[in-house]
Amino acid sequence: MKLNNHSINRVLIVGGTHGNELTGVYLVKLFQQHPELIHRATFESLTLLANPQAIKAGRRYIDKDLNRSFLEENLEDGTLVNYEDLLAKNINHIYGQNGKYPVDFIVDLHSTTSNMGVTVLLDDDQKFNLQLAAYLSSLHPEIKIYSSGSSGRGKHGLRSRAKFAIGIEVGAIPQGVVNADLFLKTQTIVYATLDYLELYNQNKLPTFSQSFTLYKYLEKIDYPRNEHGEITAMIHPHIQYKDYQALNPSDPMFLTFDGQTITYAGESPAYPIFLNEAAYYEQSTAMCLTQKHQMTI
């Protein structure tokens, strides 16, 4: 498969989109110190520490979530002048499709407090991204592939600045912490992605399984709340740390602070992810429910 008869010419590897997710921060710093690690013959590899002030402060963001700041209308709105809005405009000015160094592909590195192992994030179901996902899954069957396409999230994110992109989300890792095992696994997936793009450019892609499991976004679920907006329940112990495991109708879902169980009211099994993600409390999200699909490209 060729990308409209064009090659991938420039790749951007991003860490620190969220300043307290250190896996990506320290991988990008490593690549900046040793650019030979990400050098490939057929395209240029660039790196970006996306939110330097948040990284310095050890915070997810300064004024607003940078990964929710890339809507086209926001980038064009001159009245939006907080730190992350200006940062998003500058990133788009440099790396966007009409920028100084437009990138064809973005690898965006994240970590989560949820027990999601190594997850490859897709913001859409474009065939190019799906085929890359199939390739990565064939090399590393333990990884999970998640498409957030139907959530609309991709339009807000940094990855929207490139024609094609993936995110790599690893966890469970506390905020502000580096985990060696997941650092190394992320590094492996970055290298495999760059190798795929190199083989794609050379028209030398090997034969690999075109079938893989894809978890597609279904809906987000908030915590139960009272009339004041305060949460009244926790993720139930039955499902805590069980990202990507089936949540069946009538399974325990939440446990109220006074000990009452709230069950899942769906009519068919769903697969929760981002369970009890620390950063999502402020976004009124206890978990995202997904549907499990067997894909063949």
Side-chain angles (χ1 to χ4, degrees):
M1 181 188 68
K2 271 296 182 184
L3 172 62
N4 299 323
N5 296 317
H6 295 291
S7 297
I8 299 294
N9 297 309
R10 187 176 288 122
V11 174
L12 181 65
I13 303 170
V14 183
T17 302
H18 297 133
N20 57 4
E21 297 178 6
L22 298 188
T23 304
V25 171
Y26 284 104
L27 265 175
V28 166
K29 287 184 176 182
L30 173 67
F31 298 151
Q32 290 175 342
Q33 293 166 4
H34 298 280
E36 69 275 8
L37 295 173
I38 56 172
H39 173 76
R40 299 296 184 273
T42 66
F43 57 84
E44 181 181 14
S45 295
L46 305 178
T47 57
L48 174 67
L49 289 170
N51 196 329
Q53 289 301 318
I55 293 168
K56 183 177 180 180
R59 295 166 50 182
R60 183 174 176 86
Y61 56 81
I62 300 301
D63 292 322
K64 64 179 287 193
D65 191 332
L66 178 61
N67 216 29
R68 308 291 191 279
S69 302
F70 286 89
L71 276 177
E72 287 292 345
E73 53 261 43
N74 291 351
L75 294 172
E76 296 170 5
D77 187 343
T79 67
L80 298 178
V81 293
N82 73 38
Y83 174 68
E84 273 82 12
D85 282 321
L86 293 176
L87 199 53
K89 292 174 183 178
N90 187 57
I91 290 170
N92 182 56
H93 176 71
I94 298 173
Y95 301 110
Q97 293 307 288
N98 296 312
K100 188 176 180 181
Y101 301 105
V103 296
D104 300 304
F105 196 93
I106 289 176
V107 183
D108 189 22
L109 306 178
H110 290 265
S111 59
T112 173
T113 62
S114 302
N115 189 30
M116 289 171 59
V118 180
T119 294
V120 171
L121 305 176
L122 307 180
D123 297 317
D124 54 55
D125 292 339
Q126 293 188 79
K127 187 175 180 181
F128 185 84
N129 290 338
L130 289 172
Q131 188 160 351
L132 169 58
Y135 174 80
L136 295 174
S137 185
S138 72
L139 289 182
H140 304 282
E142 73 281 3
I143 69 174
K144 301 294 193 297
I145 312 295
Y146 165 56
S147 172
S148 66
S150 61
S151 73
R153 270 285 297 112
K155 297 177 182 178
H156 299 254
L158 189 152
R159 295 189 295 275
S160 67
R161 297 304 90 202
K163 298 174 185 175
F164 301 98
I166 61 169
I168 303 174
E169 185 91 53
V170 295
I173 305 178
Q175 295 174 342
V177 170
V178 181
N179 175 294
D181 178 55
L182 290 171
F183 179 96
L184 294 171
K185 287 179 177 177
T186 302
Q187 187 176 17
T188 296
I189 301 303
V190 171
Y191 293 158
T193 299
L194 297 178
D195 291 343
Y196 175 91
L197 298 176
E198 178 87 329
L199 292 168
Y200 167 82
N201 279 351
Q202 296 171 338
N203 201 25
K204 293 180 179 179
L205 284 176
T207 300
F208 57 92
S209 173
Q210 299 291 300
S211 297
F212 65 99
T213 301
L214 179 66
Y215 295 86
K216 286 192 172 187
Y217 174 88
L218 185 61
E219 62 178 322
K220 71 175 186 177
I221 302 293
D222 191 11
Y223 295 92
R225 298 179 183 269
N226 63 19
E227 64 273 16
H228 304 295
E230 301 167 327
I231 66 172
T232 58
M234 309 164 278
I235 300 294
H236 197 282
H238 179 75
I239 64 169
Q240 179 65 56
Y241 304 122
K242 293 183 179 177
D243 297 75
Y244 293 111
Q245 296 188 31
L247 179 66
N248 296 300
S250 300
D251 277 355
M253 193 174 191
F254 294 104
L255 182 67
T256 67
F257 296 124
D258 60 2
Q260 304 299 309
T261 293
I262 300 172
T263 59
Y264 175 51
E267 296 180 356
S268 59
Y271 296 81
I273 63 172
F274 289 112
L275 274 163
N276 210 12
E277 161 60 48
Y280 286 0
Y281 276 72
E282 69 177 25
Q283 297 179 26
S284 301
T285 302
M287 68 190 75
C288 293
L289 297 184
T290 71
Q291 291 178 321
K292 186 177 181 180
H293 298 265
Q294 289 305 126
M295 298 290 294
T296 299
I297 307 302

